[in-house]
Amino acid sequence: MGFVNYEQEGYVGVITINRPKALNALNSEVLKDLEAVIDAVDIDTTRCLILTGAGEKSFVAGADIGEMSSLTKAEGEAFGKIGNDVFRKLETLPVPVIAAINGFALGGGCEIAMSCDIRLAAENAIFGQPEVGLGITPGFGGTQRLARIVGVGKAKEIIYTAFNIKADEALRIGLVNAVYPQEELMAKAQKMAAKIASNAPIAVRNCKKAINDGLQVDMDAAIVIEEKLFGDCFETEDQKAGMGNFLAPRDKKVKVVPFQNK
Ligand code: CAA
C-alpha cells in the first residue's frame, strides 16, 4: 500500500518502506502508511516481522528534510509526535521485529531501527544521527534509545558529532547484532525470523513485554513483571505442547506437537 509494502509468507511478515527515489526518507505520508501496515498486522497469524527498505542503497535516510524545512515550533513538535507514536507502536507490538538494515540508516532511519527488537545490517549500512548538522535534535526517539542501546557516553558522542558510523563499528559498539554481505542480509533475517516463529508465540510475546517493560522500572518491580508474564504462559496449549514434547518418551517415535498460539 502506498509507500509501505507488506508481504507475509507463513508466520513471517516483511514490511518494506518503499520510497527509493528519496532513499526511503520518512515524510508524513510514509509514516501514515507505516502506521496503517503495523495496525493491520494480525498477531494471531504473525510470529515475527522483518522491517527493511526498498532498493540496494538505503534502509531509511531519515525524516524528510524538505517537509521539515518550513515547520513552525508547534508543527515540529507535532511531527516528532507522529514519528514517535508510530515507532512506539512498532517497539511495543506483541510480535518481534527484526530490522534488516540494507544501507543508510541515518536520523529517523537509525531511530526506526532502534525501535526494532533486533538489528541485522548489510556491510554497506551506514548509521548516524546527523540532526545537529541540520539545526535540530534527533526527534523520533534517538536521544532516548541510542543511550539505552550503546550507553550514554557513546550516544552523546554520536549525536553531538553527527559522525556517520560504518556497519563494523556499529557491530563493535552493540548498535547492531550482526553484519552480513548485502546479498545475504534478507536470507539471514528470514532464517532468524523462522527460528523465532518456530517457538511458542505466547512465550516469545511475553518475553518481549517482560524485557521492554522491565527496563523501564527498578529491579524489584521488573522481577514482578517477569513473574506475571511467566505465570501467564502456564495452562496454555503451547506450554503443554512444549513441555509435553520434551517429556515424551525418547525411545518411542512420538509426533512433536506444533505450537498453536493458544
Ligand atoms: N529527506 C528528504 N530527501 C532525502 C533525504 C531526506 N532525509 N535523504 C535523501 N533524500 C533524497 C535526496 O534529496 C535526493 O533526492 P533528489 O534525487 O530528488 O535530489 C535523493 O534522496 C537521493 O539522495 P542523494 O542524491 O543525496 O544521494 P547521495 O548518495 O548523494 O547521498 C545520503 C546519500 C548521504 C544519505 C544523503 O542523501 C543525505 O545525507 N541524506 C540526508 C540524511 C539525513 O540527514 N537524515 C536525517 C534527517 S533529520 C531526521 O531524521 C530528524 C529526526 O530525527 C526525526
Side-chain angles (χ1 to χ4, degrees):
M1 96 179 254
F3 288 117
V4 181
N5 298 340
Y6 185 79
E7 279 177 295
Q8 179 140 358
E9 211 179 298
Y11 292 123
V12 177
V14 179
I15 300 175
T16 306
I17 300 183
N18 184 21
R19 196 189 169 208
K21 279 191 185 147
L23 303 184
N24 304 319
L26 303 170
N27 63 14
S28 304
E29 281 292 296
V30 179
L31 289 169
K32 186 160 72 64
D33 291 351
L34 180 60
E35 182 166 36
V37 165
I38 295 169
D39 285 344
V41 170
D42 179 357
I43 65 155
D44 290 329
T45 56
T46 310
R47 298 186 182 181
C48 193
L49 289 170
I50 297 170
L51 175 74
T52 194
E56 302 205 328
K57 190 170 166 183
S58 182
F59 172 67
V60 170
D64 191 296
I65 299 169
E67 180 172 342
M68 286 187 296
S69 62
S70 58
L71 299 184
T72 62
K73 283 181 192 290
E75 287 166 346
E77 189 177 333
F79 187 59
K81 180 164 169 44
I82 291 170
N84 273 328
D85 286 352
V86 179
F87 289 14
R88 189 79 181 122
K89 249 183 200 182
L90 201 58
E91 187 171 47
T92 57
L93 197 70
V95 170
V97 187
I98 300 170
I101 304 154
N102 56 319
F104 292 113
L106 298 172
C110 188
E111 290 168 311
I112 196 170
M114 292 191 291
S115 308
C116 298
D117 296 275
I118 293 165
R119 284 163 289 285
L120 306 181
E123 284 167 348
N124 67 321
I126 303 271
F127 298 82
Q129 297 290 158
E131 287 88 349
V132 293
L134 296 164
I136 57 173
T137 66
F140 290 168
T143 59
Q144 304 309 308
R145 292 194 181 92
L146 189 58
R148 284 165 168 81
I149 293 171
V150 303
V152 176
K154 200 68 196 172
K156 286 180 172 172
E157 181 190 334
I158 292 167
I159 290 172
Y160 299 170
T161 62
F163 280 151
N164 283 349
I165 297 170
K166 290 186 176 161
D168 55 350
E169 175 69 356
L171 180 64
R172 198 186 65 76
I173 64 174
L175 182 54
V176 301
N177 297 52
V179 178
Y180 300 109
Q182 164 103 330
E183 62 279 10
E184 290 175 23
L185 177 67
M186 278 314 280
K188 295 288 187 190
Q190 290 281 6
K191 191 173 174 204
M192 184 181 280
K195 180 72 184 103
I196 291 170
S198 73
N199 290 318
I202 296 168
V204 171
R205 188 183 309 159
N206 284 11
C207 289
K208 174 166 178 172
K209 189 164 171 57
I211 294 168
N212 282 358
D213 292 1
L215 283 171
Q216 308 308 316
V217 296
D218 66 48
M219 185 57 90
D220 289 320
I223 289 300
V224 174
I225 291 172
E226 185 188 79
E227 286 161 5
K228 169 82 192 64
L229 290 160
F230 175 66
D232 188 53
C233 298
F234 288 82
E235 299 179 50
T236 62
E237 294 294 318
D238 288 352
Q239 179 248 333
K240 292 191 181 103
M243 294 192 182
N245 288 336
F246 179 80
L247 295 172
R250 310 264 162 125
D251 51 342
K252 289 187 192 147
K253 278 215 157 127
V254 179
K255 203 165 172 277
V256 172
V257 180
F259 293 118
Q260 299 290 337
N261 195 19
K262 282 186 197 150

